[in-house]
Amino acid sequence: MFIDTRKIIMTIKKISKSIIQDITENVTSDMSEHDKDEMAIPSYLHKNPLIPWLMWKRYETISELIDHNGEQVLEFGCGLGLFLNELSTKYTKLYAIDLFPKFAIALTKKIDINVQFINDVSDLEDNSLDTIVAADVLEHIEDLKSIIIPFHNKLKPSGRLIVSGPTESIIYKLGRIVAGFGDKGDYHHTNIDKLIAGITENGFRLISVKRLPYPFLPALFKICLFEKV
């Protein structure tokens, strides 16, 4: 199927490819190629426009699920920090955490937004967050409960958790091959459906699920909205 990306209007504050190239080329880091793959750096800079389009479409969908302005938000696994710009339009206090925060720190300085980077979720007060965003990160974590319980503790009553992740379906795996990532290592411990089960077993209620790239096609990714109960 051919998708004319010129007709797709992005509704979020998108970071240009030139800025992404600048921070990934000029910020010194001890990352391996495997780590860069986990942060999706090759995907955002991919020559095929459908690949970065899909990556940004995830963030656009997450933004749509944030239907209320809040005070405090945490982006868990913020990666390059590309979604922090959008979150700054919706929340008064932004927190972010990542294994390799240097890129995101450089980006937030470059585009001049105020983000507090933390080392651990435990650094935050209990019942303090309105929203936690975890975009394509939880599938990399082996012990999901060790992350979800702290999320539950830090969110306010009825606080929201937004999670995106790959389906790991046959279509998804074929898509990786077509995109040129077929020779990359398998670094996902689980898929989005298993994440949904694990999250709902640990104090959250599933509110809605969005399928990407389109609702009527086999899902490559799912974006899920949960509420603390």
Side-chain angles (χ1 to χ4, degrees):
M1 175 178 288
F2 176 76
I3 302 174
D4 188 351
T5 57
R6 294 172 298 179
K7 296 181 180 179
I8 299 170
I9 300 175
M10 301 302 296
T11 60
I12 67 172
K13 300 183 73 174
K14 186 178 178 184
I15 306 299
S16 70
K17 183 176 287 189
S18 62
I19 292 179
I20 297 174
Q21 288 174 325
D22 181 61
I23 63 172
T24 55
E25 289 175 358
N26 296 316
V27 176
T28 303
S29 176
D30 57 354
M31 294 176 65
S32 65
E33 290 302 314
H34 174 85
D35 295 325
K36 291 178 181 179
D37 290 341
E38 287 200 357
M39 293 182 75
I41 292 174
S43 296
Y44 286 106
L45 300 175
H46 205 285
K47 293 180 180 179
N48 183 338
L50 291 179
I51 307 304
W53 172 81
L54 181 58
M55 303 305 288
W56 282 107
K57 185 64 176 177
R58 296 172 310 133
Y59 280 142
E60 183 182 47
T61 305
I62 291 172
S63 184
E64 291 171 356
L65 291 176
I66 302 173
D67 63 358
H68 66 296
N69 290 332
E71 295 179 359
Q72 300 193 62
V73 61
L74 165 68
E75 185 172 9
F76 181 84
C78 67
L80 300 177
L82 303 181
F83 194 52
L84 294 172
N85 196 31
E86 176 69 12
L87 289 174
S88 71
T89 69
K90 299 177 181 296
Y91 297 89
T92 57
K93 182 67 176 179
L94 278 66
Y95 298 98
I97 185 171
D98 198 87
L99 286 175
F100 300 95
K102 291 182 180 180
F103 298 112
I105 292 172
L107 176 63
T108 56
K109 290 179 178 178
K110 191 175 188 68
I111 63 178
D112 192 26
I113 59 173
N114 186 21
V115 180
Q116 182 175 336
F117 290 87
I118 61 174
N119 294 318
D120 194 89
V121 177
S122 63
D123 295 341
L124 302 174
E125 295 183 5
D126 288 353
N127 301 305
S128 63
L129 299 174
D130 296 281
T131 307
I132 296 175
V133 174
D136 291 76
V137 61
L138 297 183
E139 66 271 16
H140 299 282
I141 295 173
E142 189 170 3
D143 184 5
L144 180 64
K145 188 174 182 179
S146 69
I147 300 298
I148 298 304
I149 295 301
F151 281 1
H152 191 275
N153 293 338
K154 303 307 173 182
L155 283 166
K156 296 177 181 178
S158 300
R160 295 186 165 199
L161 170 62
I162 302 175
V163 174
S164 69
T167 59
E168 292 291 335
S169 65
I170 293 176
I171 300 298
Y172 173 86
K173 292 178 179 179
L174 286 175
R176 284 183 58 83
I177 295 173
V178 171
F181 300 145
D183 60 340
K184 303 295 185 181
D186 185 5
Y187 46 78
H188 293 168
H189 290 286
T190 186
N191 59 48
I192 187 61
D193 292 313
K194 292 180 180 178
L195 288 176
I196 292 172
I199 293 169
T200 54
E201 289 172 357
N202 288 282
F204 288 91
R205 178 169 63 95
L206 181 63
I207 302 296
S208 67
V209 177
K210 303 285 187 178
R211 297 163 55 88
L212 296 183
Y214 293 106
F216 51 84
L217 294 178
L220 303 180
F221 295 88
K222 291 181 182 180
I223 318 294
C224 306
L225 172 64
F226 299 89
E227 184 180 72
K228 175 180 174 177
V229 294

